[in-house]
């Protein structure tokens, strides 16, 4: 049984997340760059209160995202701070694998939403209206180019940091015409193109997403083998392909919409073709991993019927839609992969 101190540490652990979100919002990691700086030097750059800045910096050292060089046993104004190797790579704005957009985006949206988790559990309903005071959150988001760009920056970060390394989990080289549904900026499409040079990839997404997609620079070289196609994957015909990719798509939707989407994919998939899915999977008993549990809590407050599934549940879902030879690979990281075929 957890001790009172362990339970209290759990109770206040949200402040660790907020300290890192605050550091990202204030661009502390950018201000440090490759240098060591004192509290006053940092506060001057980011235009903040020096005393409060010191507390955030020390918290970030305790979390492990900053380093501290002490001048004596007690804290001193001459103490200096620097980025850790991980924060230099993942929390600075200029990094090609920056997670800063995720910290900013989730701090502004997911964090307040999850604050209404109790209402989601009671009502079985998403909490967008209660949290943001509007029902049509995504309609508003996509109608505002600035908001849409921010959302796409988050999706680009997910693909760049987590998804692109997963395209080699299965040998996809036999497939020559792939369609990445909800492929957003094309970051995953360009990763596929680099891994499989003979493959032609269609990034399929809403017109307002495609309109901004070319603004984003993928880690992998942009090539003519990646093209963009406007459409709604529930309402419009899908390009005939021998491989469909669904990355972080299925967990957003309820069973009725998933059935419609997978039926559409199966119909549009050539015989012998494949479906490649990226999702954060539960263990079979659904008590972990805790990262998947956290994502599932977020789906509960965002989407009606949205949730994470186990590998067994994904296999059953795909077999229900006539896919066969279902294979599941656990990555040991945040996201896992599933592959199946149409025979």
């Amino acid at each position: 049984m957890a001790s009172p101190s362990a339970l209290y540490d759990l109770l206040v652990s949200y402040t660790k997340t907020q300290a890192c979100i605050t550091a990202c919002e204030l661009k502390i990691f950018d201000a440090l760059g490759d240098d060591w700086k004192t509290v006053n030097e940092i506060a001057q750059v980011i235009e903040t209160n020096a005393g409060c800045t010191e507390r955030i910096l020390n918290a970030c050292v305790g979390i492990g995202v900053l380093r501290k060089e002490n001048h004596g046993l007690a804290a001193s104004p001459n103490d200096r701070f620097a980025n850790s190797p991980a924060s230099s790579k993942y929390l600075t704005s200029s990094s090609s694998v920056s997670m800063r957009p995720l910290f900013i985006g989730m701090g502004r949206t997911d964090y307040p939403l999850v604050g209404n988790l109790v209402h989601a559990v009671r009502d079985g309903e998403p909490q967008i209206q209660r949290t943001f005071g509007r029902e049509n959150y995504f309609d508003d988001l996509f109608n505002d180019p600035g908001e849409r760009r921010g959302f796409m920056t988050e999706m680009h970060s997910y693909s760049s940091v987590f998804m692109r390394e997963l395209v080699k989990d299965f040998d996809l080289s036999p497939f020559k015409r792939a369609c990445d549904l909800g492929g957003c900026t094309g970051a995953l499409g360009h990763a596929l193109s680099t891994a499989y040079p003979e493959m032609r990839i269609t990034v399929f997404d809403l017109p307002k997403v495609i309109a901004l997609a070319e603004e984003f620079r993928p880690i992998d070289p942009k090539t003519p083998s990646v093209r963009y196609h406007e459409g709604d994957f529930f309402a419009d015909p899908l390009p005939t392909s021998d491989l469909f990719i669904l990355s972080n798509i299925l967990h957003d939707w309820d069973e009725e919409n998933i059935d419609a989407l997978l039926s559409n994919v199966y119909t549009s998939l050539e015989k012998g073709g494949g479906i490649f899915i990226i999702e954060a999977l539960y263990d079979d008993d659904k008590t972990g991993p805790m990262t998947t549990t956290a994502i599932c809590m977020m789906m509960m407050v965002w989407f009606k019927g949205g949730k994470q599934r186990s590998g067994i549940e994904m296999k059953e879902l795909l077999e229900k839609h006539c896919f066969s030879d279902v294979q599941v690979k656990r990555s040991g990281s945040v996201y896992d992969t599933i592959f199946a075929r149409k025979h």
Side-chain angles (χ1 to χ4, degrees), residues 4 74 170 191 205 220 222 227 247 250 262 326:
F170 298 97
D205 216 316
D220 301 279
K222 286 190 174 184
R227 68 183 188 92
S247 177
L250 295 180
L262 289 179
V326 181

Side-chain angles (χ1 to χ4, degrees), residues 10-324:
L10 173 64
L11 176 63
V12 300
S13 62
Y14 72 94
T15 60
K16 301 175 187 177
T17 307
Q18 278 291 6
C20 200
I21 290 171
T22 298
C24 287
E25 284 273 12
L26 295 173
K27 295 190 175 182
I28 286 174
F29 305 106
D30 290 348
L32 284 166
D34 297 325
D35 300 325
W36 288 84
K37 288 186 171 72
T38 66
V39 170
N40 286 332
E41 288 171 335
I42 297 166
Q44 185 175 11
V45 172
I46 63 175
E47 300 181 337
T48 53
N49 176 276
C52 292
T53 301
E54 181 184 17
R55 289 168 228 168
I56 289 293
L57 292 170
N58 283 327
C60 287
V61 172
I63 295 167
V65 293
L66 289 183
R67 295 175 289 163
K68 185 176 182 179
E69 183 181 78
N70 292 87
H71 290 266
L73 296 176
S76 160
N78 295 320
D79 292 345
R80 299 194 303 165
F81 295 84
N83 283 322
S84 69
S87 61
S88 290
K89 183 174 183 179
Y90 295 113
L91 297 177
T92 55
S93 300
S94 59
S95 171
S96 61
V97 288
S98 178
M99 293 177 66
R100 182 174 179 269
L102 302 183
F103 279 84
I104 299 295
M106 292 179 74
R108 295 176 182 176
T109 55
D110 297 74
Y111 210 90
L113 269 168
V114 173
N116 285 313
L117 184 61
V118 63
H119 299 290
V121 175
R122 283 179 177 151
D123 306 336
E125 296 292 334
Q127 295 301 305
I128 291 173
Q129 173 66 39
R130 185 186 300 273
T131 307
F132 302 116
R134 46 183 168 155
E135 287 285 356
N136 300 318
Y137 178 85
F138 284 99
D139 289 343
D140 294 343
L141 183 149
F142 281 100
N143 286 329
D144 183 322
E147 292 290 323
R148 191 186 338 145
R149 189 175 285 107
F151 171 79
M152 291 176 65
T153 302
E154 288 184 63
M155 298 304 104
H156 189 76
S157 181
Y158 275 117
S159 293
S160 300
V161 176
F162 296 111
M163 314 304 189
R164 63 183 295 273
E165 297 297 331
L166 300 176
V167 299
K168 295 183 180 179
D169 271 12
F170 298 97
D171 180 13
L172 304 178
S173 60
F175 305 106
K176 306 305 179 189
R177 288 186 297 152
C179 181
D180 183 9
L181 294 180
C184 199
T185 67
L188 187 61
H190 287 287
L192 283 161
S193 178
T194 297
Y196 306 104
E198 301 302 314
M199 186 183 288
R200 299 293 176 265
I201 301 102
T202 299
V203 176
F204 189 97
D205 216 316
L206 297 170
K208 289 182 178 180
V209 172
I210 299 299
L212 298 182
E214 287 290 349
E215 293 183 11
F216 292 84
R217 184 175 65 184
I219 295 174
D220 301 279
K222 286 190 174 184
T223 68
S225 61
V226 177
R227 68 183 188 92
Y228 295 85
H229 186 100
E230 298 179 356
D232 179 334
F233 52 56
F234 287 117
D236 297 320
L238 303 181
T240 300
S241 307
D242 61 3
L243 177 69
F244 278 94
I245 299 105
L246 285 77
S247 177
N248 247 8
I249 298 295
L250 295 180
H251 69 173
D252 290 345
W253 304 100
D254 60 17
E255 297 297 324
E256 182 180 351
N257 278 300
I258 288 175
D259 286 345
L261 177 56
L262 289 179
S263 295
N264 200 3
V265 167
Y266 191 85
T267 300
S268 303
L269 188 62
E270 294 179 350
K271 186 176 181 180
I275 182 171
F276 178 64
I277 297 170
I278 299 176
E279 287 283 351
L281 296 178
Y282 270 123
D283 297 332
D284 291 339
D285 66 1
K286 302 185 81 169
T287 59
M290 283 310 300
T291 305
T292 301
T293 299
I295 296 171
C296 197
M297 298 303 101
M298 290 187 280
M299 293 302 102
M300 195 188 307
V301 293
W302 269 115
F303 304 111
K304 179 74 171 179
K307 64 180 181 180
Q308 304 306 124
R309 294 170 174 79
S310 67
I312 288 175
E313 289 175 314
M314 290 298 300
K315 184 174 186 292
E316 291 172 348
L317 181 64
L318 288 167
E319 289 176 344
K320 171 185 172 182
H321 289 276
C322 301
F323 291 98
S324 58

